[in-house]
């Protein structure tokens, strides 16, 4: 029988790159009966351990021994405050460093115009020293921690390169050697790397925003009935079996069962159902759902971490904290690149001293090897390209939150599309007016609008909105009654009218055309029946409209080689109808929010990268679980926070554009990495042979950076819509869906 294990989440401070997280994960997994997963993006370690052998304090000590800081994960507010403080401190250091290197940069810039500012070497030394040893202390600490555990990382490369340039300059100044100094190279390089780290921290600062916003959906207070009185108490004080009141316009505080009252609740954040759900006695209600209409008295059944909302939060957190097999090429190569460069530098020093006998010349040549191997271009190859690509994407209304998304999107094999609000607009619209011989279209619309004007139901809104486009004025209604989720009734001009679902009308003993109703429902439409004094007047059909551009976007995505699958919480008939209209062959209907995430995982288990496009809170777990996630801007903030890429235009063509941009971006990254290493492959042998002094080596290093940046800027030639079948990124009117107010005859 296996020993039950405890679970702990540790917040890690000090991880710089993928090799850092791998080193820490390896160290933690070497502890007895400990299983650890370290996530670089969330900066967390998720651990399962045997409490009889290991304590949390032992885990924290192991993290410290590996060269990082750790503490038990605090609440979201505290963690957010800590990240904000760290970001501000890092930003302060960057601006101080920028101020210190400003005279150096100005001197180099003026030299282009043959204007010599001529800062003294002592002044350069004074400016570079705080940058090297105060601002750059983090690189020395990271390099030392890496060396202690027998590995190399970017910190080690930065520390070696800048130290070589700095200490060579110190030797030149102290011993009055007639060689140029390289204080500028070391100080500017540290500042540039620090700027990149600052951008990275800014991106990570929002890592937990999705979970935080999900938690904020739950109200802070609840109205509890105790001893016949209604008291306002903190939601945290609610216990199972407590009786609470939910007023119209308020959110439900905890999960419960309705004891008294009738109302309509918006449960879209949990179920994905776009229409409010009718609630009456013995029906279940869930935390954070919105009460639209009546007063409800409920009994609490689940509170705190046991609510459905908490379950969704856990799904998002689990997906975000799971281990992704992402490895940075530069960090992988640096593991062997650094020791090779060190060996070559030592060999250069030894051989030149042995051959020439001039120790100073041997030092200069060996340092030239280190200087030309400085990882400036290597460090810029990926981030500069990502910065340019992100700017291009933003210009086209594609907001990229995580650079990893651009690196992964080009490898997507499966793209999962949520139906409501993604493929479709997510707002029901009147699609058909079908009068019987007892009425006509004008009368049917006028009667329906008169009754619907007093209801807040989305289908009522669709009827009233359509009537307004036809300049139809509703008539006064008396004795109005709304049966939540079923229908409306009232009197006009001395006659009684009914408007509601076919089941609601059938319950009044009124005969309907079942075959027509079923035909409409198979087309994915919601059917409303209307009757007057027990006589059927006709039907109104409402349907969610296909989002403009969805058909052409899906055609583009299919031609890009993607497998498209649509998921929906709606019934099979509706899902099938929408899929057929937009050209999707694979679809899965009646899928709950939790099951959406499971379907994502099932596709990922087939060794293919999976993308997800959604728009609602209920999509958040699936979005967080996908390798690359896209959110429509009109969707909830939760979906946007959980997604890697936000589509500001609410157009699926933006997904195709984002994937195409990813493919172009990855091509540029590979080119830049080639340029970065090509300079080293060509330059290191020349430096070792004494054909490059440190100044030329430094110039070659600078040129490698210029080539990388210039190549990245060529990305600006990219235009959206040039892949697939959309010429010049334009969609013609013939490619768009019919207008939302379009009528359809059955």
């Amino acid at each position: 029988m296996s020993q039950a294990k405890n679970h702990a989440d540790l917040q890690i401070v000090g991880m710089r790159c993928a090799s850092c997280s791998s080193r820490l994960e390896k160290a933690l997994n070497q502890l007895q009966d400990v299983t650890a997963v370290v996530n670089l993006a969330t900066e967390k370690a998720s651990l399962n351990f045997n409490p009889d052998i290991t304590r949390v304090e032992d885990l924290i000590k192991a993290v410290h021994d590996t060269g990082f800081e750790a503490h038990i994960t605090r609440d979201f507010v505290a963690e957010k405050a800590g990240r904000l403080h760290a970001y501000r401190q890092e930003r302060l250091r960057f601006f101080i460093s920028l101020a210190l290197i400003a005279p150096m940069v100005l001197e180099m810039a003026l030299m282009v115009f043959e204007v010599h500012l001529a800062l003294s070497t002592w002044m350069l030394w004074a400016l570079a020293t705080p940058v090297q040893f105060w601002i750059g202390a983090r690189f020395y600490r990271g390099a030392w921690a890496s060396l202690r555990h027998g590995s190399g990382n970017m910190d080690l490369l930065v520390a070696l390169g800048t130290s070589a340039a700095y200490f060579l300059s110190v030797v030149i100044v102290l011993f009055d050697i007639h060689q140029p100094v390289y204080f500028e190279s070391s100080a500017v390089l540290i500042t540039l790397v620090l700027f990149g780290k600052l951008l990275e921290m800014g991106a990570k600062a929002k890592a937990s925003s999705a979970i935080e916003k999900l938690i904020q959906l739950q109200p802070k207070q609840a109205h509890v009935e105790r001893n016949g009185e209604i008291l306002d108490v903190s939601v945290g004080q609610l216990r199972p079996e407590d009786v609470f009141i939910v007023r119209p316009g308020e959110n439900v505080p905890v999960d419960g069962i309705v004891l008294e009252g009738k109302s309509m609740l918006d449960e879209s954040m949990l179920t994905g159902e776009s229409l409010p759900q009718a609630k009456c006695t013995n029906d279940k209600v869930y935390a954070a759902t919105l009460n639209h209409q009546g007063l409800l008295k409920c009994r609490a059944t689940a509170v705190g971490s046991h609510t459905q909302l908490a379950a969704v939060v856990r799904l998002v957190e689990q997906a975000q904290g799971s281990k992704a097999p992402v490895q940075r090429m530069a960090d992988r190569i640096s593991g062997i690149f650094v020791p090779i460069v060190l060996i070559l530098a030592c060999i250069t020093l030894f051989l030149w001293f042995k051959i020439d006998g001039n120790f100073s010349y041997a030092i200069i040549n060996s340092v030239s090897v280190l200087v030309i191997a400085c990882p400036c271009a290597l460090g810029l190859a990926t981030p500069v390209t990502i910065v340019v690509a992100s700017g291009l994407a933003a210009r086209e209304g594609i907001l990229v939150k995580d650079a990893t998304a651009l690196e992964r999107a080009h490898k997507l094999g499966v793209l999962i599309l949520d139906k409501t609000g993604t493929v479709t607009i997510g707002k029901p619209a009147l699609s058909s007016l079908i009068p019987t011989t007892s009425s006509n279209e004008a009368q049917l619309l006028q009667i329906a609008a008169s009754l619907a004007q007093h209801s807040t139901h989305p289908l009522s809104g669709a009827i009233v909105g359509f009537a307004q486009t036809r300049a139809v004025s509703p008539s006064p209604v008396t004795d109005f009654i709304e049966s939540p989720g079923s229908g409306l009734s009232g009197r006009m001009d001395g006659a009684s009218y009914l408007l509601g679902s076919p089941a609601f009308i059938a319950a009044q003993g009124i005969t309907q055309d079942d075959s027509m109703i079923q035909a409409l429902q198979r087309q994915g439409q919601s059917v409303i029946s209307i009757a007057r004094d027990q006589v059927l007047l006709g039907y109104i059909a409402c349907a969610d409209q296909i989002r403009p551009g969805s058909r052409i976007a899906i055609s583009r995505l299919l031609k890009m080689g993607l497998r498209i699958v649509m998921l929906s919480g709606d019934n099979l008939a509706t899902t099938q109808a929408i899929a057929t209209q937009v050209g999707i062959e694979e679809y899965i209907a009646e899928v709950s929010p939790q099951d959406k995430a499971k379907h994502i995982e099932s596709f990922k288990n087939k060794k293919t990268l999976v993308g997800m496009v959604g728009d609602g809170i209920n999509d958040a777990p699936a979005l967080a679980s996908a390798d690359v996630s896209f959110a429509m801007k009109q969707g909830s903030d939760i979906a946007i926070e959980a997604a890697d890429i936000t589509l500001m235009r609410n157009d699926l063509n933006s997904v195709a554009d984002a994937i195409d941009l990813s493919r172009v971006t990855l091509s540029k990254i590979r080119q830049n990495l080639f340029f970065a290493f090509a300079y080293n492959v060509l330059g290191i042998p020349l430096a070792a042979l004494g054909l490059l002094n440190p100044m030329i080596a430094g110039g070659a290093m600078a040129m490698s950076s210029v080539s990388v940046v210039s190549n990245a800027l060529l990305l600006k030639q990219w235009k959206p819509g040039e892949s697939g079948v959309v010429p010049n990124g334009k969609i013609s009117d013939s490619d768009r869906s019919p207008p939302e107010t379009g009528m359809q005859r059955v």
Side-chain angles (χ1 to χ4, degrees):
M1 183 175 178
S2 61
Q3 172 68 43
K5 289 190 175 183
N6 285 2
H7 179 83
D9 290 317
L10 297 181
Q11 193 72 38
I12 310 299
V13 179
M15 291 193 298
R16 306 281 191 255
C17 59
S19 62
C20 293
S21 60
S22 298
R23 185 172 80 246
L24 177 58
E25 185 172 288
K26 181 179 179 181
L28 290 172
N29 280 314
Q30 287 177 346
L31 298 175
Q32 183 179 356
D33 210 8
V34 173
T35 303
V37 174
V38 179
N39 189 290
L40 178 62
T42 58
E43 297 182 332
K44 288 183 180 179
S46 179
L47 304 113
N48 293 312
F49 60 96
N50 185 342
D52 295 334
I53 301 174
T54 307
R55 300 175 302 166
V56 174
E57 291 77 8
D58 299 326
L59 298 172
I60 294 177
K61 183 178 182 299
V63 175
H64 289 179
D65 292 342
T66 315
F68 306 101
E69 299 296 322
H71 59 261
I72 295 292
T73 301
R74 300 186 291 262
D75 62 83
F76 292 104
V77 176
E79 291 295 350
K80 184 177 181 180
R83 288 193 300 268
L84 182 60
H85 176 73
Y87 178 79
R88 287 173 175 171
Q89 291 295 317
E90 197 78 353
R91 185 176 59 184
L92 178 61
R93 293 189 185 96
F94 167 71
F95 282 119
I96 292 173
S97 181
L98 191 63
L100 289 170
I101 70 168
M104 305 178 186
V105 175
L106 179 61
E107 180 187 34
M108 290 185 290
L110 291 176
M111 289 178 63
V112 177
F113 303 99
E114 298 185 356
V115 177
H116 299 280
L117 186 60
L119 294 175
S120 68
T121 54
W122 293 98
M123 177 62 74
L124 293 174
W125 190 358
L127 292 171
T129 299
V131 176
Q132 186 72 35
F133 297 108
W134 177 46
I135 304 297
R138 56 181 293 173
F139 302 116
Y140 285 105
R141 289 193 296 267
W144 173 242
S146 178
L147 287 173
R148 282 176 54 205
H149 293 85
S151 63
N153 63 357
M154 290 296 294
D155 283 344
L156 183 58
L157 292 174
V158 172
L160 282 174
T162 58
S163 296
Y166 178 86
F167 286 110
L168 173 62
S169 301
V170 171
V171 170
I172 290 172
V173 172
L174 293 179
F175 294 95
D176 197 23
I177 301 174
H178 297 291
Q179 292 287 345
V181 294
Y182 307 98
F183 292 119
E184 304 97 322
S185 298
S186 63
V188 171
L189 178 57
I190 286 176
T191 306
L192 287 174
V193 174
L194 190 63
F195 179 63
K197 296 295 182 182
L198 190 65
L199 293 177
E200 182 180 328
M201 287 185 68
K204 288 182 178 180
K206 298 180 179 179
S208 62
S209 298
I211 302 175
E212 183 179 352
K213 288 196 174 185
L214 277 173
I215 292 176
Q216 289 175 350
L217 286 173
Q218 191 172 27
K220 305 300 182 189
Q221 286 192 324
H223 313 303
V224 181
E225 184 181 273
R226 289 177 180 168
N227 299 322
E229 296 184 8
I230 304 297
L231 304 176
D232 288 346
V233 302
S234 169
V235 169
Q237 296 179 10
L238 279 177
R239 296 292 180 265
E241 302 302 321
D242 278 349
V243 175
F244 60 90
I245 303 297
V246 186
R247 298 165 181 162
E250 293 182 341
N251 290 86
V252 179
V254 295
D255 291 0
I257 293 179
V258 177
L259 299 177
E260 296 178 14
K262 294 182 179 180
S263 187
M264 301 289 292
L265 266 64
D266 180 359
E267 297 181 343
S268 59
M269 70 288 297
L270 293 177
T271 66
E273 174 58 55
S274 58
L275 302 179
Q277 300 298 296
K279 298 293 178 180
C280 57
T281 304
N282 295 326
D283 285 342
K284 293 181 179 180
V285 294
Y286 301 100
T289 56
L290 178 63
N291 181 20
H292 276 304
Q293 299 170 337
L295 183 74
L296 295 177
K297 178 185 287 190
C298 309
R299 184 180 73 249
T301 57
V303 301
S305 62
H306 300 289
T307 64
Q308 287 291 310
L309 175 66
V312 173
V313 170
R314 285 194 296 272
L315 284 172
V316 177
E317 190 172 31
Q318 180 180 342
Q320 287 187 336
S322 59
K323 180 76 172 180
V326 179
Q327 298 293 333
R328 299 295 183 190
M329 184 180 296
D331 287 322
R332 290 202 303 267
I333 296 177
S334 69
I336 58 172
F337 180 69
V338 174
I340 290 175
V341 171
L342 283 173
I343 292 171
L344 290 175
C346 292
I347 292 174
T348 301
L349 174 64
F350 175 78
L351 290 179
W352 274 109
F353 182 67
K354 183 78 172 176
I355 295 171
D356 190 70
N358 187 333
F359 186 74
S360 175
Y361 186 62
I363 283 285
I364 290 174
N365 286 335
S366 63
V367 169
S368 294
V369 172
L370 290 174
V371 170
I372 202 166
C374 186
C376 188
L378 184 61
L380 288 173
T382 297
V384 169
T385 310
I386 293 296
V387 167
V388 175
S390 299
L392 285 172
R395 185 190 70 190
E396 301 301 329
I398 304 168
L399 301 185
V400 180
K401 180 186 298 182
D402 186 358
T404 304
L406 272 179
E407 296 181 30
R408 286 182 167 189
H410 79 293
K411 294 181 179 180
L412 289 178
V414 178
L415 186 64
I416 307 295
L417 305 179
D418 177 52
K419 181 184 73 66
T420 304
T422 302
V423 177
T424 66
I425 293 174
K427 182 179 180 181
L430 195 150
S431 56
S432 302
L433 285 169
I434 310 169
T436 64
T437 55
S438 301
S439 182
N440 56 53
E441 288 189 0
Q443 291 176 346
L444 201 63
L445 181 58
Q446 203 276 334
I447 294 167
S450 300
L451 290 170
Q453 65 178 321
H454 301 292
S455 171
T456 59
H457 194 284
L459 292 180
S460 296
I463 293 171
V464 173
F466 185 80
Q468 291 174 346
T469 65
R470 295 297 181 92
V472 174
S473 300
S475 300
V477 178
T478 59
D479 299 333
F480 175 80
I481 298 175
E482 179 169 3
S483 300
S486 299
L488 313 172
S489 64
R491 294 184 64 83
M492 291 183 288
D493 299 325
S496 297
Y497 291 88
L498 297 174
L499 179 148
S501 66
F504 175 74
I505 300 299
Q508 311 302 317
I510 301 173
T511 303
Q512 302 170 89
D513 188 340
D514 292 336
S515 62
M516 176 177 289
I517 292 172
Q518 292 171 6
L520 288 167
Q521 290 175 338
R522 282 195 297 270
Q523 296 174 17
Q525 302 185 68
S526 299
V527 180
I528 301 169
S529 300
I530 303 172
R532 178 182 60 205
D533 293 334
Q534 300 298 107
V535 176
L536 185 69
L537 299 179
Y539 310 92
I540 290 179
C542 294
D544 195 358
Q545 302 296 299
I546 301 296
R547 188 178 291 282
S550 288
R551 285 193 292 268
I552 198 67
I554 290 167
S555 177
R556 288 181 64 194
L557 291 166
L558 290 171
K559 290 195 174 184
M560 293 171 74
L562 291 167
R563 178 184 174 187
I564 307 298
V565 181
M566 188 173 73
L567 298 184
S568 176
D570 282 339
N571 60 70
L572 179 60
T574 299
T575 303
Q576 184 178 30
I578 297 297
T580 301
Q581 291 179 54
V582 297
I584 296 177
E585 295 183 357
E586 294 185 66
Y587 49 87
I588 306 174
E590 300 175 2
V591 182
S592 68
Q594 291 82 355
D595 286 342
K596 286 183 181 180
K598 291 178 182 177
H599 281 294
I600 297 289
E601 292 298 332
S602 69
F603 282 110
K604 290 172 69 174
N605 291 336
K606 297 175 183 178
K607 307 301 180 183
T608 184
L609 287 186
V610 180
M612 169 71 184
V613 188
D615 79 312
I617 296 175
N618 62 292
D619 297 327
L623 289 169
S625 180
D627 294 302
V628 182
S629 51
F630 306 82
M632 296 290 187
K633 180 62 176 69
Q634 78 166 20
S636 69
D637 290 340
I638 309 304
I640 293 171
E641 289 296 331
D644 300 310
I645 299 174
T646 300
L647 310 177
M648 303 297 289
R649 292 203 306 260
N650 294 318
D651 187 347
L652 281 178
N653 280 284
S654 293
V655 178
D657 291 338
I659 295 173
D660 181 51
L661 178 59
S662 170
R663 294 177 177 181
V664 177
T665 301
L666 263 292
S667 175
K668 286 297 178 187
I669 289 175
R670 294 189 185 101
Q671 292 172 14
N672 283 345
L673 289 173
F674 170 79
F675 289 144
F677 286 106
Y679 277 100
N680 287 322
V681 171
L682 296 175
I684 289 176
L686 294 177
L689 293 172
L691 301 177
L692 295 177
N693 61 34
M695 177 59 75
I696 297 177
M701 179 195 69
M703 285 303 299
S704 68
S705 300
V706 171
S707 66
V708 164
V709 174
S710 299
N711 190 50
L713 290 175
L714 292 177
L715 263 178
K716 292 187 176 182
Q717 297 177 0
W718 174 83
K719 300 295 181 184
E722 291 189 345
S723 67
V725 296
V726 182
N728 300 321
K730 303 298 183 182
I731 302 174
S732 66
D733 291 338
S734 61
D735 295 325
R736 298 189 179 275
S737 301
E740 293 184 30
T741 57
M743 298 289 289
Q744 171 186 322
R745 264 293 186 188
V746 177

